[in-house]
Amino acid sequence: MGSGHDVNLIDNISMCSHDLLDPEEFRRQGYMMIDFIADYYRDIEKYPVRSQVEPGYLSKRLPESAPYNSEPIETILQDVQNEIIPGLSHWQSPTHFAYFPCTISTAGFLGEMLSTGFNVVGFSWVSSPAATELESIVMNWLGKMLELPKCFLFSSDKNINEGSGGGVLQGTTCEAILCTLTAARDQMLNKIGRENIGKLVVYASDQTHCALQKAAQIAGINPKNIRAITTSKATEFGLSPNSLLLTILADLESGLIPLFLCATVGTTPSTAVDPIGPLCEVAKRYDIWVHVDAAYAGSACICPEFRHFINGVEDADSFSLNAHKWFFTTLDCCCLWVKDPNALVKALSTNPEYLKNKATESKQVIDYKDWQIALSRRFRSMKLWLVLRSYGVANLRNFIRSHVKMAKQFEGLIAKDKRFEIVVPRTFAMVCFRLKLEMIFDQKLHENDGINRIEDQTNELNQILLESINATGQVYMTHAMIGGMYIIRFPVGATLTEERHVHSTWKLVQEHANTILLGALDGNIIDHEMED
Amino acid sequence: MGSGHDVNLIDNISMCSHDLLDPEEFRRQGYMMIDFIADYYRDIEKYPVRSQVEPGYLSKRLPESAPYNSEPIETILQDVQNEIIPGLSHWQSPTHFAYFPCTISTAGFLGEMLSTGFNVVGFSWVSSPAATELESIVMNWLGKMLELPKCFLFSSDKNINEGSGGGVLQGTTCEAILCTLTAARDQMLNKIGRENIGKLVVYASDQTHCALQKAAQIAGINPKNIRAITTSKATEFGLSPNSLLLTILADLESGLIPLFLCATVGTTPSTAVDPIGPLCEVAKRYDIWVHVDAAYAGSACICPEFRHFINGVEDADSFSLNAHKWFFTTLDCCCLWVKDPNALVKALSTNPEYLKNKATESKQVIDYKDWQIALSRRFRSMKLWLVLRSYGVANLRNFIRSHVKMAKQFEGLIAKDKRFEIVVPRTFAMVCFRLKLEMIFDQKLHENDGINRIEDQTNELNQILLESINATGQVYMTHAMIGGMYIIRFPVGATLTEERHVHSTWKLVQEHANTILLGALDGNIIDHEMED
C-alpha cells in the first residue's frame, strides 16, 4: 500500500455512523423483513423443496465485488427473492423430509430476534449476567421435563462450584462431544501421563453420527483407535453391550486404554436406540466416560411414553440433545448436561487477566466460556425460554405426538402396499422403508442371480426411486445404508407438516415406484394389486 | 417411568401443531418484537451499562419449572423488560467500552432474521446450495476489500478442489484457530508419525488471545509446549521475530518440533501488532503454519491507510477476523481464509453414507462441513452480505474511520490532563490509559517506597478508579495488564457511540479520578491544575 492512498482517506460519505442503527429506520426495515418472512412461510409450498440449481449458479448472478455505495433494502430483498430463494432447499417446507428436521416456531424465531437484538456476549457471568443465569435456569427446566436425574441439574441451594451438575447450550452435538471428550481425555491423561494419548480408545456403534469421529480426530485421538462397533438387524441396529465388552477386552489385551463411549438414542440412519443402562454397566467397569447423544430423539423424551428410551442415563456422564432438531428452536441450539462440570472447566478454562473480575473470583457464578470451545457465545437460552413459555409443556408434548402420529400414518400406508417394506420398526417419528425387490420379481430371477445380486438391485432401484422423487421438487427425502440395505428415510417433524402432506408424499412415492418398476424392469414385475 | 403414565398420553391440548408457525400470527408477533427492540435501542441510554444485579438474582424471579400451559407473548415481553433487561450488560449501549465492541447494525440484524427465517442447514452444498455459494462469494468480496492476496481467495475459473484458496465463516476465532491448528497438526503428523504429537510446539506472544491456548489444549498439544513469548514496551508489545527465532532454536535443541505460529494484528490487551512479514520469514524456515488473528483490527484493514498492518499476510497460511466485533454483523461471524483448503478438508472431513450425494461426488462443489468443527451450520453469510450491500465499501470505511476519530479525540483529552498517561501509542480505535502515580505524588514518597511500590500503588489506584467508574452504570470499561501495568482500555466501536459519549465518558473519568485521589490518598496529591 503506497502513500498514494492518503489523498482518498475519506471516501465519499452518504451516511453517518448513527444510520447504522437508527431506531425508526430499524423499525421500518424490520417490519418489511417480518412481512417478507411471513409471506415466505405463507407461500413456501410454491417452491421446489430441493433446490434445482446447478453448481456455480449464484456466481453467475451476483457481481464479483462488494458495491462501493449503499443499496436500498428493497433492492436487496428483491435479490433474495430472485437469486437466493431458488438456491435454497427449503427446510421449513412441509414436505421437507430430508436428513432430520430443523424446526422453527414463531417463539423460537422471536427468541432469536431478542438474542440478536441485545447482541450481548455472555462469556463470563459479569459480561451480561442474565445471559448466564437464564441459561442455567432454562437448562434446569428442560432437564426436569426430561426427568433427568438430579445429578445432571444445578442444585438450587448448593454452591455451583461444589459437586453440582448442570447444563450448557452448545452450538451443535459435535461441539458437545468434543468438549466432553476433551474433558474425559484430560482427566485420564492426568492420571496416566500425557505420553499415553496415542493409546486412548473411543467407542461407538457403526450407526453413530460422524460427529464423534470428527470430535475424536480434533481431540488428537489416534484415528486407528476410534471403534465403530458393528450392529445388525438382530439388535435393530442398537449397540450390543456384549460387543462393546468384547471390543474393550481386545483393546486392553493390546495395551490400549478405553476412554470414551458415545451411546446414541435415535441414530441418524434409522433412529436406533443404544441400550444406555446395559452399556453404562459395561463401560463403568473400565472407567469409561459415557456420553449419551440424543440429538434427534431426546426431544421426544419429554413425553412420559418415550422417557424409557433414556433409562439408565443416571449412570452416564453427559447427555445432549439438539433443540434445533425437533424442539422448535432455530439453529443452533444443542443442550448438554454434565454430571461433573469441573471436568469440563479443568479441560477448557482459560483465565486471562483481561477477563478477571470480582464475580468470577467469588466463585458464586458460572463463566460458561469454560464449558465450551469458544470464548464468545450467543444468548441462545432466550429462544429456548420463549419456546418453553410460549407453548408450555403440554403443547410441546402434543406437537411431538402429532409428528409421531403422522409417521404412524405413513407407516400404515406403506404396510398396505406389499411392494414396499418397513426396514426397521419405527420408534419415534421416522419411517425407514424401501421397495422390496423379492416381492416384485418372479422367483426365477431370484434363483438365477442369488441373494447378493438381489440386494444390489434392490439398493439400486431404491436409489433411482429416491432420486426420481426428489427431482420433482415436490418433496425432499434422503437415504441411509443400514446392514447393507439402501433405505429411504421419512422423518416427520417440519413444523408446517400436516397429514395431507404425508398422504401426498406417499402418493408421489407410489407413482414413481409404478413408473420405475414399469420402465426400468421391462415387464419383469409381478402384477401387483395395490390396495390403496 | 411406570405404566401409570399411559392414561395421560395426550396432555390437554390448547393449540394445534400449525399454531407453531402460523404466518399471520408470526407477522403480528414479529411486528411486536421489532417494536420492542426498536424501543430498546431508542431508550438504551436509560439502562446502567454494566448490570447492577447480584449473582443468583434471576432464580429468585423466575419459577423453578417450565409452565405446563402456554403463555402469551405479551406476558413474556413484560418479563423480558422487567427481569432480563436489568441483568444485561448492554453491549449496544453507546457508552459500552468494555472488552472489544460487538457491533450490530440494522442490516446485520435483518440478515440474521433472514438466516433464522430460512433456517436451512448448509453442511453440504446440496443441503441448500445458496447457503454455500453465497458464503464463498461474500468471502471473496470481503477478501478483495482487504486486498488479501489471490492465493486466499476462490478462483473463479478453476476447479475449487484444485489449488485454490478460499474463505469460510466460522463462529469464533477459537474455532478458526482450532480448525487451522488441527489441519497443521495432521499435516505434520502424517509426515513424522502420530506418536510425535507430544513434541509439537505452538508459538505466540504473551499478548495473544487465550483462544490459542484453548485451541491448542483441545487439539491435544502438550500444554507445556505452548509458548507465550514475552513482549515488552520496546516493541510496543508486538512479538519480536528474533525472540521467536530464539525460542524455536531452543525447542529444536530440545528435540521438539515447531508446528504453528499465531500472529496477532490488534491484540486484546492493547491492540499491539505482531510484524507479520518478518515473523513469517522466520517461521517459514521451519515449515511452521502461520495463522494471522486479526479478530479486532482486521476490519480496519478495509481502509487503505490501515492495510499496511497486514502486509506480509501473503506468506501466512491462514487469516481471520471477527466481523461480529467491528464490522456491524451480529454475533457470531468469524471470517477465515486459508491458502490450502485441502489441508482443512483432510483433517476435518467425514463422509457418512447418509450425506453422500451426486454434487459432492462431482467435486464441483464445496461442502463447508469439512472446513469447520461442526456438521450443522447457520446461514451466516446472509448477514455479511446484507451489511456489505446495505452500506457499501465507502460507508463501511467511514464508519471505521469515525470510530478511529473518536478514539483520537479521547486521546487528545487525556493528553491535556497530566495526571494520566497513554500507555501505548493508539493504533486503531482503542486508547490504553491510566493514572500515573509518579505525576501525582511528591518526590518523597517516590524515594521512600521505590519503583516497585509505586507500580503496585499505581495499579491499585487504577483498579479502584475503574471499579468506581463502572459502578456508576454510566459507562463500562475493562482493564488489561501489559508489562506489569494495570491499564484501562477504551475501545470506540459500539454502533451508537457519538462524540458526546466520548466527552461525557472522559468527564466521568476525571470526576472519579478527582474523588479517588482526594479521598484515598489523604492529601498526598500534588495540586494539579487540570487543563480541561
Side-chain angles (χ1 to χ4, degrees):
Chain A
M1 300 306 310
S3 59
H5 280 284
D6 290 351
V7 292
N8 294 319
L9 281 196
I10 300 299
D11 289 81
N12 294 325
I13 299 183
S14 59
M15 306 173 111
C16 45
S17 194
H18 68 255
D19 287 334
L20 281 167
L21 193 58
D22 175 73
E24 296 317 312
E25 186 58 17
F26 174 92
R27 203 185 306 265
R28 186 183 77 85
Q29 296 192 19
Y31 286 172
M32 206 182 295
M33 187 60 85
I34 287 291
D35 282 335
F36 186 90
I37 298 172
D39 293 350
Y40 170 73
Y41 293 139
R42 187 193 58 203
D43 302 337
I44 197 164
E45 292 187 56
K46 287 201 301 202
Y47 306 116
V49 190
R50 190 181 74 173
S51 173
Q52 317 255 309
V53 299
E54 293 296 314
Y57 92 100
L58 195 55
S59 61
K60 293 174 191 139
R61 301 188 187 198
L62 296 187
E64 287 201 356
S65 303
Y68 187 75
N69 292 310
S70 69
E71 297 183 80
I73 186 67
E74 290 81 357
T75 309
I76 299 171
L77 281 178
Q78 202 60 54
D79 286 349
V80 172
Q81 186 68 50
N82 297 337
E83 319 302 348
I84 301 299
I85 285 183
L88 294 179
S89 290
H90 299 279
W91 285 66
Q92 302 316 314
S93 165
T95 52
H96 188 280
F97 301 108
Y99 313 104
F100 273 135
C102 183
T103 54
I104 198 170
S105 63
T106 299
F109 185 91
L110 297 179
E112 193 78 66
M113 282 174 78
L114 267 179
S115 157
T116 304
F118 292 136
N119 210 37
V120 300
V121 193
F123 42 74
S124 308
W125 179 88
V126 74
S127 72
S128 229
T132 297
E133 298 204 7
L134 187 64
E135 185 162 328
S136 302
I137 290 168
V138 164
M139 290 303 287
N140 261 17
W141 282 15
L142 185 53
K144 286 177 190 171
M145 288 167 68
L146 292 163
E147 299 194 14
L148 286 186
K150 273 193 179 165
C151 53
F152 282 106
L153 306 184
F154 294 105
S155 64
S156 51
D157 41 49
K158 240 194 285 180
N159 183 321
I160 51 116
N161 289 288
E162 282 168 19
S164 160
V168 57
L169 289 172
Q170 306 267 335
T172 65
T173 301
C174 191
E175 295 166 43
I177 295 178
L178 180 53
C179 289
T180 51
L181 179 56
T182 302
R185 184 199 67 190
D186 283 2
Q187 202 165 269
M188 182 65 84
L189 292 181
N190 286 340
K191 275 190 246 169
I192 62 171
R194 288 205 68 87
E195 66 280 9
N196 291 304
I197 187 171
K199 294 184 187 163
L200 301 177
V201 188
V202 167
Y203 301 89
S205 91
D206 58 1
Q207 302 297 305
T208 303
H209 193 271
C210 61
L212 175 71
Q213 185 199 334
K214 195 169 200 171
Q217 281 175 204
I218 293 171
I221 303 298
N222 191 330
K224 287 181 193 159
N225 295 349
I226 305 171
R227 305 273 170 267
I229 302 169
T230 306
T231 57
S232 71
K233 205 160 177 172
T235 58
E236 289 172 8
F237 301 97
L239 177 58
S240 140
N242 198 43
S243 303
L244 173 66
L245 178 61
L246 294 174
T247 313
I248 292 171
L249 292 175
D251 285 329
L252 288 170
E253 186 76 25
S254 312
L256 298 176
I257 301 160
L259 174 69
F260 190 89
L261 166 67
C262 180
T264 307
V265 176
T267 61
T268 305
S270 69
T271 75
V273 176
D274 294 337
I276 302 177
L279 290 171
C280 285
E281 200 275 309
V282 171
K284 286 301 154 195
R285 283 186 236 161
Y286 303 97
D287 209 14
I288 292 172
W289 181 299
V290 181
H291 178 76
V292 177
D293 168 13
Y296 160 72
S299 302
C301 299
I302 64 163
C303 302
E305 68 272 27
F306 288 108
R307 171 58 177 77
H308 68 93
F309 288 110
I310 57 169
N311 280 356
V313 68
E314 54 276 14
D315 294 321
D317 298 279
S318 45
F319 174 86
S320 63
L321 72 83
N322 285 353
H324 60 254
K325 275 203 167 60
W326 197 16
F327 208 69
F328 318 106
T329 65
T330 57
L331 190 67
D332 45 6
C333 192
C334 171
C335 307
L336 169 69
W337 291 266
V338 290
K339 262 186 190 167
D340 179 12
N342 277 329
L344 278 188
V345 171
K346 275 183 200 159
L348 300 172
S349 77
T350 51
N351 189 22
E353 176 64 34
Y354 48 82
L355 296 181
K356 285 184 180 159
N357 66 88
K358 281 185 189 167
T360 297
E361 282 156 27
S362 78
K363 304 202 174 182
Q364 295 302 304
V365 299
I366 294 167
D367 290 334
Y368 271 128
K369 72 181 174 61
D370 298 335
W371 296 46
Q372 63 172 24
I373 297 166
L375 175 70
S376 291
R377 60 200 322 271
R378 291 158 61 235
F379 193 173
R380 291 196 187 99
S381 57
M382 190 58 88
K383 57 186 173 187
L384 195 48
W385 189 50
L386 259 68
V387 165
L388 292 174
R389 294 191 61 185
S390 280
Y391 306 118
V393 176
N395 289 304
L396 288 165
R397 286 180 181 162
N398 288 332
F399 296 147
I400 297 272
R401 286 169 181 148
S402 75
H403 295 151
V404 174
K405 188 179 159 205
M406 286 188 268
K408 272 186 191 165
Q409 286 169 341
F410 193 79
E411 203 180 17
L413 294 170
I414 296 174
K416 285 197 225 157
D417 186 336
K418 295 284 176 275
R419 299 172 301 174
F420 289 87
E421 67 172 332
I422 291 159
V423 182
V424 286
R426 184 198 48 75
T427 310
F428 303 102
M430 184 165 95
V431 182
C432 297
F433 70 102
R434 62 171 191 165
L435 272 172
K436 203 176 171 184
L437 212 56
E438 302 137 87
M439 298 302 294
I440 298 156
F441 286 96
D442 57 29
Q443 195 60 24
K444 204 168 142 204
L445 182 76
H446 198 137
E447 282 165 8
N448 282 352
D449 292 352
I451 292 292
N452 282 344
R453 177 96 175 98
I454 289 281
E455 263 308 324
D456 290 350
Q457 285 186 340
T458 307
N459 288 348
E460 200 182 324
L461 197 73
N462 279 287
Q463 195 168 0
I464 292 165
L465 173 63
L466 179 58
E467 181 50 36
S468 151
I469 293 166
N470 285 340
T472 65
Q474 292 178 52
V475 304
Y476 186 15
M477 295 185 285
T478 50
H479 77 287
M481 292 287 288
I482 52 175
M485 292 173 286
Y486 183 102
I487 59 164
I488 302 176
R489 299 162 72 263
F490 182 80
V492 181
T495 310
L496 296 170
T497 305
E498 299 172 26
E499 291 186 9
R500 65 187 171 94
H501 301 109
V502 171
H503 285 275
S504 66
T505 299
W506 176 240
K507 196 158 164 268
L508 189 74
V509 170
Q510 285 188 312
E511 284 165 9
H512 283 261
N514 291 345
T515 310
I516 284 167
L517 291 173
L518 281 168
L521 301 178
D522 201 27
N524 263 329
I525 305 163
I526 290 173
D527 186 25
H528 176 76
E529 196 71 31
M530 281 188 291
E531 293 170 46
D532 187 47
Chain B
M1 302 304 311
S3 60
H5 280 284
D6 290 350
V7 291
N8 293 318
L9 280 196
I10 300 298
D11 289 82
N12 293 325
I13 299 184
S14 59
M15 307 173 111
C16 47
S17 193
H18 67 255
D19 288 335
L20 280 166
L21 193 59
D22 175 72
E24 296 317 313
E25 186 59 17
F26 175 92
R27 205 184 304 266
R28 185 184 77 85
Q29 296 191 20
Y31 286 173
M32 206 183 294
M33 187 60 85
I34 288 290
D35 282 335
F36 185 91
I37 298 172
D39 293 349
Y40 170 73
Y41 294 139
R42 188 193 59 204
D43 302 335
I44 197 165
E45 292 187 56
K46 286 202 301 203
Y47 306 115
V49 191
R50 189 181 75 173
S51 173
Q52 317 255 309
V53 299
E54 293 296 315
Y57 92 100
L58 195 55
S59 61
K60 292 175 193 139
R61 301 188 187 197
L62 296 188
E64 287 201 356
S65 305
Y68 187 75
N69 291 309
S70 69
E71 297 182 80
I73 186 68
E74 291 80 357
T75 308
I76 299 172
L77 281 178
Q78 202 60 54
D79 286 349
V80 172
Q81 186 68 49
N82 297 338
E83 319 302 349
I84 302 299
I85 285 184
L88 295 179
S89 290
H90 298 279
W91 285 66
Q92 303 316 315
S93 164
T95 51
H96 188 280
F97 301 108
Y99 313 105
F100 273 135
C102 183
T103 53
I104 198 171
S105 63
T106 299
F109 184 91
L110 297 179
E112 193 78 66
M113 283 173 77
L114 268 178
S115 157
T116 305
F118 292 136
N119 210 37
V120 299
V121 193
F123 41 74
S124 308
W125 179 87
V126 75
S127 72
S128 228
T132 297
E133 298 205 7
L134 187 65
E135 185 162 329
S136 302
I137 290 168
V138 164
M139 290 303 287
N140 261 17
W141 283 14
L142 186 53
K144 286 176 188 171
M145 289 168 67
L146 293 163
E147 299 195 12
L148 285 186
K150 274 193 179 164
C151 53
F152 282 107
L153 306 183
F154 294 105
S155 64
S156 49
D157 40 50
K158 241 193 286 181
N159 184 320
I160 53 116
N161 289 290
E162 283 169 17
S164 159
V168 58
L169 290 171
Q170 307 266 334
T172 65
T173 301
C174 191
E175 295 167 42
I177 295 178
L178 179 54
C179 290
T180 52
L181 178 57
T182 302
R185 184 200 67 190
D186 283 2
Q187 200 165 269
M188 182 66 85
L189 292 181
N190 286 340
K191 276 190 245 170
I192 62 171
R194 288 205 68 88
E195 66 280 9
N196 291 303
I197 186 170
K199 293 184 187 164
L200 301 177
V201 189
V202 167
Y203 301 89
S205 91
D206 58 359
Q207 303 296 305
T208 302
H209 193 272
C210 61
L212 175 71
Q213 185 199 334
K214 195 170 199 170
Q217 280 174 206
I218 293 171
I221 304 298
N222 191 329
K224 286 182 193 157
N225 295 349
I226 305 171
R227 304 274 169 265
I229 301 170
T230 306
T231 57
S232 71
K233 206 161 179 170
T235 57
E236 289 172 7
F237 301 97
L239 176 57
S240 142
N242 198 45
S243 302
L244 173 66
L245 178 61
L246 294 174
T247 312
I248 291 171
L249 292 175
D251 285 329
L252 288 171
E253 187 76 25
S254 313
L256 298 175
I257 300 160
L259 174 69
F260 190 89
L261 166 67
C262 180
T264 307
V265 176
T267 60
T268 305
S270 69
T271 74
V273 176
D274 294 337
I276 301 177
L279 290 170
C280 284
E281 200 274 309
V282 171
K284 285 301 154 193
R285 281 185 237 165
Y286 303 97
D287 209 14
I288 292 173
W289 181 299
V290 181
H291 178 76
V292 177
D293 168 12
Y296 160 72
S299 302
C301 299
I302 64 164
C303 303
E305 68 272 26
F306 288 107
R307 172 57 178 75
H308 68 91
F309 287 110
I310 57 169
N311 281 355
V313 68
E314 54 276 15
D315 295 320
D317 297 279
S318 47
F319 174 85
S320 64
L321 71 80
N322 285 352
H324 61 254
K325 276 203 165 61
W326 197 17
F327 208 68
F328 317 108
T329 65
T330 56
L331 191 66
D332 44 6
C333 192
C334 171
C335 307
L336 168 68
W337 290 266
V338 290
K339 263 187 189 166
D340 179 12
N342 277 328
L344 278 188
V345 171
K346 276 182 200 159
L348 301 172
S349 76
T350 51
N351 189 24
E353 177 64 34
Y354 48 83
L355 297 181
K356 284 184 181 159
N357 66 87
K358 283 184 186 165
T360 298
E361 281 157 26
S362 78
K363 304 203 174 184
Q364 296 301 305
V365 300
I366 294 167
D367 290 333
Y368 271 128
K369 72 182 174 59
D370 297 336
W371 296 47
Q372 63 172 24
I373 297 166
L375 175 70
S376 292
R377 61 201 319 272
R378 291 159 61 236
F379 194 174
R380 290 195 189 100
S381 58
M382 191 57 89
K383 57 187 173 185
L384 194 49
W385 190 50
L386 259 69
V387 165
L388 292 173
R389 294 191 62 185
S390 281
Y391 306 119
V393 176
N395 290 304
L396 288 165
R397 285 179 181 162
N398 288 332
F399 295 148
I400 297 274
R401 285 168 180 148
S402 75
H403 295 151
V404 173
K405 188 178 158 206
M406 285 189 268
K408 272 186 191 166
Q409 288 169 341
F410 193 79
E411 203 180 16
L413 294 170
I414 295 173
K416 285 196 226 158
D417 187 335
K418 296 283 176 276
R419 299 172 303 173
F420 289 87
E421 67 172 331
I422 291 158
V423 182
V424 286
R426 182 198 49 75
T427 310
F428 302 102
M430 185 166 95
V431 182
C432 297
F433 70 101
R434 62 171 192 164
L435 271 173
K436 202 177 172 183
L437 212 57
E438 300 138 87
M439 298 302 294
I440 297 157
F441 286 97
D442 58 28
Q443 196 58 25
K444 202 166 141 205
L445 181 75
H446 199 136
E447 282 164 9
N448 281 354
D449 292 352
I451 292 291
N452 283 344
R453 177 95 175 97
I454 288 281
E455 263 309 324
D456 290 350
Q457 284 187 341
T458 306
N459 288 347
E460 200 181 325
L461 197 72
N462 279 288
Q463 195 168 0
I464 292 165
L465 174 63
L466 180 59
E467 182 49 37
S468 150
I469 294 165
N470 285 339
T472 66
Q474 292 178 55
V475 302
Y476 185 16
M477 297 186 285
T478 50
H479 78 288
M481 291 288 287
I482 53 175
M485 293 175 286
Y486 184 101
I487 59 164
I488 301 175
R489 299 162 73 263
F490 182 80
V492 181
T495 310
L496 295 169
T497 304
E498 300 172 25
E499 292 186 10
R500 65 186 170 93
H501 301 110
V502 171
H503 285 276
S504 66
T505 298
W506 175 240
K507 196 158 163 269
L508 189 74
V509 171
Q510 285 188 312
E511 283 166 10
H512 282 261
N514 292 346
T515 309
I516 283 166
L517 292 172
L518 282 169
L521 303 178
D522 201 27
N524 261 331
I525 304 163
I526 290 172
D527 185 24
H528 175 75
E529 195 72 28
M530 282 189 291
E531 292 171 46
D532 186 48

